[in-house]
Amino acid sequence: MQSREDFHMIKQLRAQGAHIVDIAQRIGCSERTVRRYLALPAPPTGRPKSRRSSKLDPFKPFIDQQLADEVWNAEVIFQQLREQGYAGSSTLVREYIQPKRPLRASKRTVRYETHPGKQLQHDWGEIRTEVAGRLCTVNIAVNVLGYSRHFHVWAGPRQDAEHTYESLVQAFRYFGGVPASVLVDNQKAAVVRHDRDGKVTFNAGFLELANHYGFVAKACRPQRPRTKGKTERMVGYVKHHFFQRYRSFDSYAHLNQLLEHWLNTYAQQRLLRRFRQTPAERFQEEQPQLLPRPETDFDTRYYDVRHVGWDAYIDVHGNRYSVPAECCGQRVTIRVSLDGELTVYDIRGQEVARHRMADRKQGWQTVAEHHEPLWQDVLPVQHRSLAVYEEILQ
């Protein structure tokens, strides 16, 4: 049986909008107990249990005061008690403190609600599944609008910066607009470091993305991922719903196609018990508050520089690709899209070549027109009559 304090805390947390599962985790009881207490008009009364006195009893008020002052280290409290004359063991101290740990202020999980169009929460998850006949780790980026819970999921092979930015580009396209702010965890694709004074240094590429779309970049405090609890919850939702329905995929394109179909026909139509509305219904209120998308999407392709050899080839990821002969000996810029298209730009920024990325086993990738000037520069071969050699032999 829970205490009277637990009863009142359950009532208070529920009035603040906390979910039953969060209340149960904080109090340290089952969800069934939380529902039973919520249905009661007053704390339940029962026969008080007889309890033996303990050496710790005289010191419990001091321990409670330490906990109220956010001192939760049992060993530190034990040493303080010994200085005050406590003769018991440290085990009694730990057993007294342990049930109270869920009540720490830092463990609060009451939902913070945002206004329509104000915030998007981003997070990555991963799951093992079959793609193109091979079991592999699939990374899923989940982007949730804070007000409506309308969300987008995009799958890719990696969680690097380029895939992180592409997941947001896809989400903005899906929503038809951009939120005022984007809250991320501390992945290096977005955050370089947190200073002790609370200042956040964002990745330069992430700031370029933010400037392109006009949103404000925000990051969770270190060691507090529950700050973006909406999207953390949705990562689990995708794993336990979508990936239970679908177990294998022909390609990442096929996987993302099924994800979008599932979002539109199932996930956005689920009933949100707290609001008694679906995400699709709440999104109708939120969508007009989103910022307009720019005319062009942010370029998420990989960027690098290469030096063109005198044979008019460049090396990219272990294979060689042809470029026009006039680029021989020059530096060129390359861009590789996430779906494997290689584009080459000359020193003026003009596109000069385009290839599909290929495995080294497929051989060098050559466009014949690139090398025509090289063949024209080759000296012509002289042709002589064989009679000259016949006279020498005679």
Side-chain angles (χ1 to χ4, degrees):
M1 178 179 294
Q2 306 301 126
S3 66
R4 292 176 61 88
E5 290 78 6
D6 292 338
F7 172 83
H8 291 299
M9 180 166 289
I10 289 172
K11 292 284 190 179
Q12 181 181 3
L13 290 174
R14 188 58 173 172
Q16 293 175 354
H19 293 286
I20 289 177
V21 62
D22 295 328
I23 298 175
Q25 183 179 5
R26 179 171 179 181
I27 299 299
C29 63
S30 67
E31 295 180 36
R32 183 178 179 181
T33 299
V34 174
R35 291 191 176 91
R36 186 173 74 250
Y37 274 48
L38 288 173
L40 295 175
T45 58
R47 180 181 301 174
K49 297 181 180 179
S50 59
R51 185 177 59 85
R52 294 186 301 175
S53 61
S54 167
K55 294 181 179 180
L56 191 63
D57 287 345
F59 302 94
K60 287 180 179 179
F62 174 79
I63 297 176
D64 292 338
Q65 182 59 50
Q66 293 297 103
L67 301 182
D69 293 338
E70 292 299 318
V71 178
W72 289 86
N73 190 313
E75 185 62 30
V76 171
I77 295 176
F78 173 65
Q79 294 298 331
Q80 292 176 326
L81 293 179
R82 291 192 64 179
E83 294 173 2
Q84 297 181 23
Y86 171 64
S89 67
S90 62
T91 301
L92 288 177
V93 178
R94 297 180 189 279
E95 289 178 349
Y96 180 73
I97 294 176
Q98 183 59 35
K100 300 177 179 291
R101 289 191 180 278
L103 304 181
R104 294 179 66 174
S106 60
K107 297 292 184 181
R108 290 178 182 173
T109 54
V110 177
R111 298 291 181 212
Y112 173 73
E113 296 299 334
T114 56
H115 294 292
K118 293 300 181 183
Q119 187 188 82
L120 177 147
Q121 296 185 4
H122 165 86
D123 197 17
W124 279 101
E126 57 183 45
I127 189 170
R128 296 283 290 176
T129 191
E130 185 179 308
V131 178
R134 184 174 62 90
L135 185 64
C136 61
T137 298
V138 169
N139 299 280
I140 51 174
V142 179
N143 293 292
V144 184
L145 291 174
Y147 174 79
S148 65
R149 305 320 198 256
H150 198 73
F151 72 104
H152 182 259
V153 189
W154 185 76
R158 287 176 289 278
Q159 296 185 20
D160 58 12
E162 288 75 13
H163 284 81
T164 296
Y165 306 158
E166 181 65 23
S167 76
L168 288 167
V169 171
Q170 295 288 340
F172 298 154
R173 187 182 302 166
Y174 179 74
F175 297 143
V178 181
S181 65
V182 172
L183 178 66
V184 298
D185 205 344
N186 294 292
Q187 65 262 43
K188 291 185 179 179
V191 178
V192 176
R193 68 176 181 272
H194 277 268
D195 295 333
R196 291 184 178 180
D197 59 0
K199 181 180 179 181
V200 181
T201 302
F202 287 99
N203 184 299
F206 188 66
L207 289 179
E208 289 181 14
L209 176 74
N211 291 333
H212 184 85
Y213 285 102
F215 66 80
V216 177
K218 294 187 176 182
C220 298
R221 286 169 49 193
Q223 308 302 322
R224 287 185 62 87
R226 60 183 173 276
T227 306
K228 52 178 180 56
K230 298 183 182 73
T231 187
E232 293 237 344
R233 180 181 292 271
M234 295 318 301
V235 169
Y237 178 79
V238 174
K239 290 181 179 180
H240 295 113
H241 287 76
F242 175 81
F243 285 100
Q244 293 300 314
R245 293 187 174 205
Y246 305 97
R247 302 298 183 94
S248 62
F249 311 92
D250 298 337
S251 62
Y252 277 99
H254 179 224
L255 168 55
N256 284 311
Q257 183 180 13
L258 290 176
L259 272 170
E260 187 157 332
H261 175 75
W262 173 77
L263 285 171
N264 294 332
T265 59
Y266 181 81
Q268 314 294 20
Q269 306 304 323
R270 73 192 190 281
L271 182 65
L272 301 172
R273 288 180 294 177
R274 179 175 181 184
F275 305 108
R276 300 188 182 279
Q277 288 181 296
T278 65
E281 291 171 339
R282 291 179 64 80
F283 182 66
Q284 293 180 2
E285 304 175 41
E286 184 162 28
Q287 207 282 332
Q289 305 303 319
L290 297 175
L291 302 173
R293 292 171 55 227
E295 294 183 0
T296 59
D297 284 331
F298 184 74
D299 191 349
T300 61
R301 295 177 297 173
Y302 292 97
Y303 170 88
D304 212 336
V305 175
R306 290 292 187 274
H307 186 273
V308 182
W310 293 107
D311 57 356
Y313 281 96
I314 59 173
D315 187 285
V316 182
H317 297 172
N319 202 5
R320 294 175 67 80
Y321 300 85
S322 67
V323 297
E326 55 266 25
C327 295
C328 287
Q330 298 180 5
R331 293 171 65 87
V332 294
T333 299
I334 65 169
R335 287 278 196 169
V336 181
S337 68
L338 302 188
D339 62 356
E341 183 176 65
L342 168 66
T343 307
V344 184
Y345 300 89
D346 63 16
I347 56 178
R348 298 167 297 176
Q350 300 295 319
E351 180 181 326
V352 294
R354 185 173 295 196
H355 297 273
R356 293 300 303 179
M357 294 291 291
D359 189 85
R360 187 173 183 178
K361 296 179 181 178
Q362 297 177 251
W364 295 11
Q365 302 300 298
T366 305
V367 176
E369 291 80 2
H370 290 168
H371 292 167
E372 284 183 358
L374 295 179
W375 292 111
Q376 293 172 0
D377 292 340
V378 175
L379 294 175
V381 179
Q382 293 184 350
H383 296 277
R384 296 180 179 179
S385 173
L386 292 178
V388 177
Y389 298 98
E390 291 176 354
E391 292 177 0
I392 295 175
L393 293 174
Q394 291 177 357

